[in-house]
Amino acid sequence: MSTRKLVCGNWKMNGLKADSVALVRALAERMAAAPPACDVMVCPPFTAIDRVVAAASGSAIAVGGQDCHAAASGAHTGDISAPMLRDLGCAAVILGHSERRTNHGETDAQVRAKAAAARQAGLVAIVAIGETLAQREAGETLRVVAGQLRGSLPEGASAADTVIAYEPVWAIGTGRTPSPADVAQVHEAILADARAIMGETKSAGLRVLYGGSVTPANAQSFLTLASVGGALVGGASLKADQFWSIIQTCP
Ligand code: PGA
């Protein structure tokens, strides 16, 4: 587990082979010229992982997947397992992203099983949680994220193999964000909940990333908060200059 913050790019379903390689090369060049203060990861679509791992080799850029199946292998047409991601050179996998929860009906129990599989395969599970706008407006944010956290963390999870990404659903891809004070309040609650679930020792140093419309203009306001262990960046991670600007705001 690192005590540095983590800035992670979630490329979602974007990028053909050549675009992905060009993007990671551009990032690697910038990082070689000016080593950043934080850890950096990119999560390309499955089809580009192999090439991105090769292009990132020799740089400080880690590579992650965007989802995995809960089983290590078997009759699951179209799915990808955690050992397969590990085999490609991934260090981590995003699990329970709200787009997976919405588009594929993923439940906390499924996310927990996937996180257990990731752990088993030696991958860090980046477990995403967050409330909808209706839940926020009803004052249910802390209750919702606490429930998702408890439901999604596998037995034995620790800060060494788990990262939490707090992503309010209403902030993803919308240009809207909570205020830094709101983010700090939720992150502090998540850290307290994680202590209760994992125990003091296993939760020590847990990184809770903020995600949802992070841009070069607002990144510093989140990344300088003590309770924010980094950022999960979607749209702005697809442009090397924007992603690099975000990375550089890391204290
Ligand atoms: P966004 O996406 O930065 O484009 O809002 C973040 C995410 O969904 O991880």
Side-chain angles (χ1 to χ4, degrees):
M1 165 189 60
S2 170
T3 52
R4 282 151 54 103
K5 301 204 183 209
L6 168 66
V7 175
C8 181
N10 174 11
W11 293 1
K12 309 192 179 184
M13 197 174 70
N14 293 293
L16 301 181
K17 293 179 300 192
D19 312 315
S20 302
V21 168
L23 180 52
V24 79
R25 282 205 184 124
L27 187 58
E29 264 170 36
R30 286 163 178 76
M31 285 175 58
C38 60
D39 293 337
V40 175
M41 184 182 292
V42 296
C43 299
F46 292 128
T47 46
I49 288 176
D50 205 17
R51 282 177 172 79
V52 167
V53 167
S57 129
S59 79
I61 304 170
V63 181
Q66 298 177 12
D67 178 48
C68 70
H69 196 276
S73 64
H76 303 290
T77 302
D79 279 313
I80 310 265
S81 74
M84 289 170 181
L85 291 176
R86 183 79 184 146
D87 186 43
L88 285 178
C90 285
V93 58
I94 300 169
L95 296 171
H97 189 282
S98 81
E99 286 151 16
R100 303 273 334 157
R101 292 179 187 263
T102 303
N103 299 348
H104 300 270
E106 285 189 12
T107 62
D108 289 341
Q110 285 170 319
V111 175
R112 169 190 267 165
K114 290 176 178 209
R119 240 181 119 225
Q120 181 74 26
L123 296 173
V124 169
I126 302 173
V127 177
I129 58 177
E131 83 286 0
T132 63
L133 189 57
Q135 289 166 333
R136 171 158 289 256
E137 285 173 348
E140 292 175 352
T141 299
L142 298 185
R143 188 186 62 73
V144 168
V145 298
Q148 288 177 326
L149 192 68
R150 191 167 284 280
S152 305
L153 288 181
E155 200 64 41
S158 78
D161 54 41
T162 308
V163 168
I164 307 301
Y166 168 57
E167 298 205 306
V169 177
W170 53 274
I172 296 174
T174 59
R176 297 183 59 195
T177 63
S179 68
D182 286 345
V183 169
Q185 186 202 21
V186 179
H187 278 231
E188 279 156 23
I190 290 171
L191 286 165
D193 291 337
R195 264 196 302 280
I197 297 166
M198 298 175 166
E200 194 75 38
T201 312
K202 286 194 164 169
S203 67
L206 180 71
R207 294 192 281 193
V208 182
L209 315 184
Y210 169 73
S213 295
V214 175
T215 64
N218 64 24
Q220 190 165 29
S221 69
F222 301 122
L223 285 166
T224 49
L225 297 169
S227 58
V228 171
L232 184 55
V233 186
S237 72
L238 295 171
K239 298 264 187 310
D241 283 333
Q242 286 190 23
F243 193 50
W244 179 235
S245 297
I246 291 169
I247 291 165
Q248 285 180 301
T249 68
C250 244

Short mmCIF file of all heavy atoms in Angstrom, two decimals, residues 10 12 94 97-99 167 171-175 211-214 232-236, ligand 1:
data_model
loop_
_atom_site.label_atom_id
_atom_site.label_comp_id
_atom_site.label_asym_id
_atom_site.label_seq_id
_atom_site.Cartn_x
_atom_site.Cartn_y
_atom_site.Cartn_z
N ASN A 10 -10.19 6.45 -15.82
CA ASN A 10 -11.16 5.43 -16.24
C ASN A 10 -11.57 5.77 -17.67
O ASN A 10 -12.36 6.68 -17.89
CB ASN A 10 -12.36 5.47 -15.29
CG ASN A 10 -13.48 4.55 -15.73
OD1 ASN A 10 -13.30 3.73 -16.63
ND2 ASN A 10 -14.64 4.69 -15.10
N LYS A 12 -13.26 4.10 -19.73
CA LYS A 12 -14.58 3.57 -20.11
C LYS A 12 -14.50 2.92 -21.50
O LYS A 12 -13.47 2.34 -21.83
CB LYS A 12 -15.65 4.67 -20.03
CG LYS A 12 -15.60 5.38 -18.67
CD LYS A 12 -16.78 6.28 -18.40
CE LYS A 12 -16.63 6.91 -17.02
NZ LYS A 12 -17.76 7.72 -16.64
N ILE A 94 -11.31 -1.77 -11.46
CA ILE A 94 -12.44 -0.99 -10.94
C ILE A 94 -13.64 -1.93 -10.83
O ILE A 94 -13.92 -2.69 -11.77
CB ILE A 94 -12.81 0.17 -11.89
CG1 ILE A 94 -11.64 1.13 -12.09
CG2 ILE A 94 -14.04 0.93 -11.39
CD1 ILE A 94 -11.86 2.15 -13.22
N HIS A 97 -18.62 0.18 -10.52
CA HIS A 97 -18.84 1.52 -11.06
C HIS A 97 -20.34 1.71 -11.29
O HIS A 97 -21.04 0.78 -11.66
CB HIS A 97 -18.06 1.69 -12.37
CG HIS A 97 -18.08 3.10 -12.86
ND1 HIS A 97 -19.18 3.64 -13.50
CD2 HIS A 97 -17.17 4.09 -12.76
CE1 HIS A 97 -18.92 4.91 -13.79
NE2 HIS A 97 -17.71 5.20 -13.35
N SER A 98 -20.83 2.92 -11.11
CA SER A 98 -22.28 3.13 -11.20
C SER A 98 -22.81 2.75 -12.59
O SER A 98 -23.97 2.35 -12.72
CB SER A 98 -22.65 4.56 -10.85
OG SER A 98 -22.45 5.41 -11.94
N GLU A 99 -21.96 2.88 -13.62
CA GLU A 99 -22.43 2.48 -14.97
C GLU A 99 -22.61 0.96 -15.04
O GLU A 99 -23.47 0.47 -15.76
CB GLU A 99 -21.44 2.99 -16.03
CG GLU A 99 -21.60 4.50 -16.20
CD GLU A 99 -20.34 5.25 -16.64
OE1 GLU A 99 -19.40 4.59 -17.12
OE2 GLU A 99 -20.32 6.48 -16.49
N GLU A 167 -18.02 8.12 -5.88
CA GLU A 167 -18.47 8.80 -7.09
C GLU A 167 -19.98 9.04 -7.02
O GLU A 167 -20.77 8.12 -7.28
CB GLU A 167 -18.17 7.94 -8.32
CG GLU A 167 -16.70 7.66 -8.53
CD GLU A 167 -16.40 7.36 -10.00
OE1 GLU A 167 -17.03 6.46 -10.58
OE2 GLU A 167 -15.54 8.05 -10.56
N ALA A 171 -22.81 13.23 -10.37
CA ALA A 171 -21.64 14.04 -10.75
C ALA A 171 -20.87 13.41 -11.91
O ALA A 171 -19.99 14.05 -12.48
CB ALA A 171 -20.71 14.20 -9.55
N ILE A 172 -21.20 12.18 -12.26
CA ILE A 172 -20.43 11.47 -13.29
C ILE A 172 -20.81 11.97 -14.68
O ILE A 172 -21.96 11.84 -15.10
CB ILE A 172 -20.64 9.94 -13.19
CG1 ILE A 172 -20.09 9.42 -11.86
CG2 ILE A 172 -19.97 9.22 -14.36
CD1 ILE A 172 -20.38 7.96 -11.59
N GLY A 173 -19.84 12.58 -15.35
CA GLY A 173 -20.04 13.01 -16.73
C GLY A 173 -21.01 14.17 -16.89
O GLY A 173 -21.46 14.44 -18.00
N THR A 174 -21.33 14.86 -15.81
CA THR A 174 -22.34 15.91 -15.89
C THR A 174 -21.76 17.31 -15.77
O THR A 174 -22.45 18.30 -16.02
CB THR A 174 -23.35 15.76 -14.73
OG1 THR A 174 -22.62 15.85 -13.50
CG2 THR A 174 -24.10 14.44 -14.81
N GLY A 175 -20.51 17.42 -15.31
CA GLY A 175 -19.94 18.73 -15.06
C GLY A 175 -20.37 19.29 -13.71
O GLY A 175 -19.95 20.38 -13.33
N GLY A 211 -14.45 10.79 -7.37
CA GLY A 211 -14.66 10.75 -8.81
C GLY A 211 -15.99 11.38 -9.18
O GLY A 211 -16.96 11.33 -8.41
N GLY A 212 -16.04 11.95 -10.37
CA GLY A 212 -17.25 12.62 -10.86
C GLY A 212 -16.91 14.02 -11.32
O GLY A 212 -16.73 14.91 -10.50
N SER A 213 -16.75 14.18 -12.66
CA SER A 213 -16.47 15.50 -13.25
C SER A 213 -15.23 16.17 -12.68
O SER A 213 -15.22 17.39 -12.49
CB SER A 213 -17.71 16.41 -13.14
OG SER A 213 -18.78 15.87 -13.91
N VAL A 214 -14.20 15.37 -12.40
CA VAL A 214 -12.92 15.98 -12.00
C VAL A 214 -12.27 16.57 -13.25
O VAL A 214 -12.21 15.93 -14.30
CB VAL A 214 -11.97 14.93 -11.36
CG1 VAL A 214 -10.60 15.55 -11.07
CG2 VAL A 214 -12.58 14.36 -10.08
N LEU A 232 -10.60 9.53 -9.28
CA LEU A 232 -10.95 8.64 -10.38
C LEU A 232 -11.53 9.55 -11.47
O LEU A 232 -12.54 10.23 -11.24
CB LEU A 232 -11.96 7.58 -9.94
CG LEU A 232 -12.35 6.52 -10.98
CD1 LEU A 232 -11.13 5.79 -11.53
CD2 LEU A 232 -13.29 5.48 -10.37
N VAL A 233 -10.85 9.58 -12.59
CA VAL A 233 -11.15 10.59 -13.62
C VAL A 233 -11.63 9.91 -14.89
O VAL A 233 -10.95 9.04 -15.43
CB VAL A 233 -9.87 11.41 -13.94
CG1 VAL A 233 -10.20 12.55 -14.90
CG2 VAL A 233 -9.22 11.92 -12.66
N GLY A 234 -12.81 10.30 -15.38
CA GLY A 234 -13.34 9.73 -16.62
C GLY A 234 -12.95 10.58 -17.80
O GLY A 234 -11.83 10.51 -18.32
N GLY A 235 -13.86 11.44 -18.25
CA GLY A 235 -13.68 12.22 -19.47
C GLY A 235 -12.33 12.93 -19.58
O GLY A 235 -11.67 12.88 -20.62
N ALA A 236 -11.90 13.56 -18.48
CA ALA A 236 -10.65 14.34 -18.54
C ALA A 236 -9.41 13.45 -18.59
O ALA A 236 -8.30 13.95 -18.79
CB ALA A 236 -10.58 15.30 -17.35
P1 PGA B 1 -16.20 11.66 -15.28
O1 PGA B 1 -16.29 10.09 -14.92
O2 PGA B 1 -14.85 12.14 -14.77
O3 PGA B 1 -16.28 11.69 -16.79
O4 PGA B 1 -17.32 12.33 -14.60
C1 PGA B 1 -15.77 9.60 -13.71
C2 PGA B 1 -16.05 8.13 -13.60
O5 PGA B 1 -17.14 7.70 -13.99
O6 PGA B 1 -15.20 7.36 -13.13
#
